[in-house]
Amino acid sequence: MKQAPYFTDDTIVFGLLLFLLAFVFYTASIKEGFWKKFYVIFPSLLMCYLLPSIFSSLNIISAEWLILDENGNKILNELGKPLTEKSKIPTITSRILLPAALVLLTLSIDLKAMFKLGPKALTMFFTGTIGVIIGGPIAVLIVSIFSPATVGGADFDAVWRGLSTLAGSWIGGSANQTAMLEVFKYNPNKYGAMVLVDIVVANIWMAVLLFGIGKKEKIDKWFKADNSSIDELKMKVSTYAASVTRNPSLTDLMIILGIAFTAVSISHLGSILVSETLLTNFPEVRDPKTFVSTFGDKFFWLVTFATLIGILLSYTKLKEYEGAGASKIGSVFIYILVASIGMKMDLGSVLSNPGLLIVGLIWMAVHVLLMVIVAKIIKAPFFFLAVGSKANIGGAASAPIVASAFHPSLASVGVLLAVFGYVIGTYGALLSAYLMEIVAP
């Protein structure tokens, strides 16, 4: 635990975090010279985590710090533990901006259109999800054979708790990743290692996919795939995108914010009522060792209600606000959340457990191998494999990039599948986490 950072005022810290995010996005938009080369090596999403972490490591900002007396000594509580002070920013972003982002990112989901994409598209998407769910336990089991300490740990230092955040990220995205961090309460001082494994491994796979797109004809030939459905998708997606896109007015933006934060308010109310009811009436829910203990967690229900509200609103005319930028505003909230998580990162934790990278690579290998096998069996086009995978691994941040690499009009297909990943990401990650807990040493 560190002493008080240079900046302790949350308003100053929040402004600094937004400055860092703006700096990353601006420099990443420069497509020539030094910055182009820099972001080839260091992806912008990684920098959104890393820069706040560097500032925290230098004790310029911090998520938590010790309270000292006039002589510089630690002040202890009744139990003999040091008293600390915390920044309110991580709590605000996870309890307010995260559920708002979930609502806006699921607002545009069209379950009917999802199924109209065809069974092969959905099959590859769910194959990717299953690959992530089972890949984690398999990786933990394999690594535990030759290095049990790498995947061991007890209580809130248990590695499986940290790996649950990878499952959330690789099925849904940053929002689901944060949900797992909050639900399983992994030691935030060690969370930096998980974030870096997430980014490094996911971007290795991203590079492989982008390389494969250049060879898509040969890959489709090997899969014996029929691409006629892709041409039909291009026409449908282009028509849909043209029908909803518009320049947002001030009224549009205010309504979008109203939708998001009204839903957040309802989600908080629902989470309080449900969790307190369950905790009061069901003793099993109060036992942290049981599977159902998660259902007593208010944050779990907050995320669940926000997601369900987003899905319900997608069946109303409010979904048309996607054309005015609802998901973009949701993404802004996500990146602010990402920066606030960076405040908790301890870069030294990466060096303390390099074996985690091996866990991540094995995990990703299981995901990729399962997708290739299924694609070969059902003769799915490489497009479905690539987008189905990135809709899980990377979510809305990278699935559109991969989809548009095939054709610009297909970017929204990546968004559609990625948003669906947000819906099931939390539940798939929970299943994967409990399986990892079972096989962990």
Side-chain angles (χ1 to χ4, degrees):
M1 188 67 64
K2 295 178 286 189
Q3 296 183 6
Y6 188 80
F7 295 117
T8 58
D9 189 302
D10 279 340
T11 55
I12 297 174
V13 175
F14 186 77
L16 180 58
L17 292 179
L18 267 293
F19 170 78
L20 294 176
L21 289 175
F23 174 80
V24 170
F25 273 78
Y26 172 73
T27 52
S29 68
I30 301 174
K31 302 303 181 183
E32 57 184 14
F34 169 78
W35 290 114
K36 179 181 179 180
K37 297 177 181 178
F38 178 84
Y39 284 106
V40 169
I41 302 173
F42 302 101
S44 58
L45 180 57
L46 174 59
M47 297 309 298
C48 290
Y49 283 106
L50 202 56
L51 286 181
S53 177
I54 292 173
F55 275 64
S56 180
S57 300
L58 295 174
N59 213 31
I60 297 173
I61 61 175
S62 181
E64 185 175 7
W65 58 90
L66 294 168
I67 299 177
L68 306 178
D69 60 20
E70 295 178 354
N71 298 319
N73 298 317
K74 299 177 183 177
I75 300 177
L76 306 180
N77 60 17
E78 297 177 352
L79 301 176
K81 294 183 178 181
L83 290 176
T84 62
E85 188 169 349
K86 297 182 180 180
S87 167
K88 295 180 178 62
I89 291 176
T91 300
I92 292 173
T93 55
S94 64
R95 275 12 183 228
I96 298 178
L97 297 188
L98 170 59
L102 286 173
V103 171
L104 294 179
L105 289 169
T106 55
L107 183 64
S108 63
I109 191 170
D110 187 338
L111 296 181
K112 292 182 179 179
M114 179 70 68
F115 288 106
K116 287 181 180 179
L117 288 174
K120 291 183 179 180
L122 292 173
T123 298
M124 294 309 302
F125 171 79
F126 284 114
T127 297
T129 302
I130 294 171
V132 174
I133 292 174
I134 67 173
I138 291 174
V140 169
L141 192 60
I142 292 175
V143 174
S144 67
I145 296 174
F146 59 86
S147 182
T150 300
V151 291
D155 298 324
F156 296 116
D157 288 331
V159 173
W160 70 266
R161 293 180 183 270
L163 293 175
S164 71
T165 65
L166 265 71
S169 176
W170 288 354
I171 296 175
S174 299
N176 307 91
Q177 180 181 36
T178 306
M180 291 302 99
L181 180 63
E182 293 290 337
V183 169
F184 291 105
K185 304 185 187 306
Y186 182 59
N187 187 341
N189 292 325
K190 296 185 176 183
Y191 180 56
M194 299 297 172
V195 172
L196 290 180
V197 170
D198 175 10
I199 299 298
V200 170
V201 175
N203 278 282
I204 289 174
W205 176 227
M206 178 76 158
V208 172
L209 281 176
L210 293 176
F211 176 80
I213 292 172
K215 308 288 184 181
K216 61 181 181 293
E217 290 82 7
K218 292 182 179 180
I219 297 175
D220 284 338
K221 184 177 181 181
W222 184 71
F223 284 154
K224 298 180 180 179
D226 178 11
N227 279 290
S228 60
S229 60
I230 303 298
D231 296 330
E232 184 178 351
L233 277 173
K234 292 177 183 178
M235 181 62 67
K236 287 184 178 180
V237 172
S238 297
T239 302
Y240 173 77
S243 66
V244 298
T245 300
R246 66 179 186 270
N247 290 324
S249 64
L250 178 59
T251 300
D252 288 331
L253 296 177
M254 291 303 296
I255 291 175
I256 290 172
L257 293 177
I259 292 170
F261 291 107
T262 300
V264 170
S265 178
I266 295 172
S267 298
H268 272 279
L269 177 61
S271 67
I272 293 171
L273 293 176
V274 173
S275 62
E276 289 184 352
T277 299
L278 292 176
L279 288 169
T280 301
N281 297 288
F282 298 93
E284 297 85 358
V285 178
R286 297 194 295 270
D287 185 355
K289 296 181 180 179
T290 63
F291 173 83
V292 294
S293 63
T294 300
F295 299 112
D297 187 89
K298 292 180 182 178
F299 187 81
F300 171 81
W301 288 109
L302 174 63
V303 172
T304 300
F305 276 114
T307 303
L308 289 175
I309 290 172
I311 294 174
L312 291 175
L313 292 179
S314 72
Y315 285 95
T316 71
K317 290 185 177 181
L318 293 178
K319 69 175 294 183
E320 295 178 2
Y321 281 98
E322 167 59 21
S327 63
K328 290 181 181 178
I329 295 176
S331 296
V332 169
F333 295 158
I334 287 294
Y335 276 96
I336 295 175
L337 181 67
V338 165
S340 71
I341 294 173
M343 294 173 62
K344 303 178 181 180
M345 287 173 57
D346 179 8
L347 295 177
S349 65
V350 179
L351 300 177
S352 67
N353 200 350
L356 286 176
L357 184 61
I358 302 298
V359 176
L361 291 172
I362 295 174
W363 192 340
M364 185 63 69
V366 173
H367 166 82
V368 174
L369 181 61
L370 184 62
M371 293 209 71
V372 170
I373 291 173
V374 172
K376 179 68 173 176
I377 293 174
I378 68 173
K379 301 179 180 180
F382 182 59
F383 172 78
F384 289 143
L385 183 152
V387 177
S389 175
K390 292 309 296 181
N392 286 281
I393 312 294
S398 56
I401 297 174
V402 172
S404 61
F406 285 88
H407 189 277
S409 66
L410 296 175
S412 58
V413 176
V415 174
L416 194 62
L417 286 172
V419 168
F420 195 66
Y422 279 110
V423 175
I424 66 173
T426 298
Y427 311 106
L430 283 170
L431 176 57
S432 182
Y434 289 121
L435 291 175
M436 287 188 284
E437 180 183 15
I438 292 172
V439 301

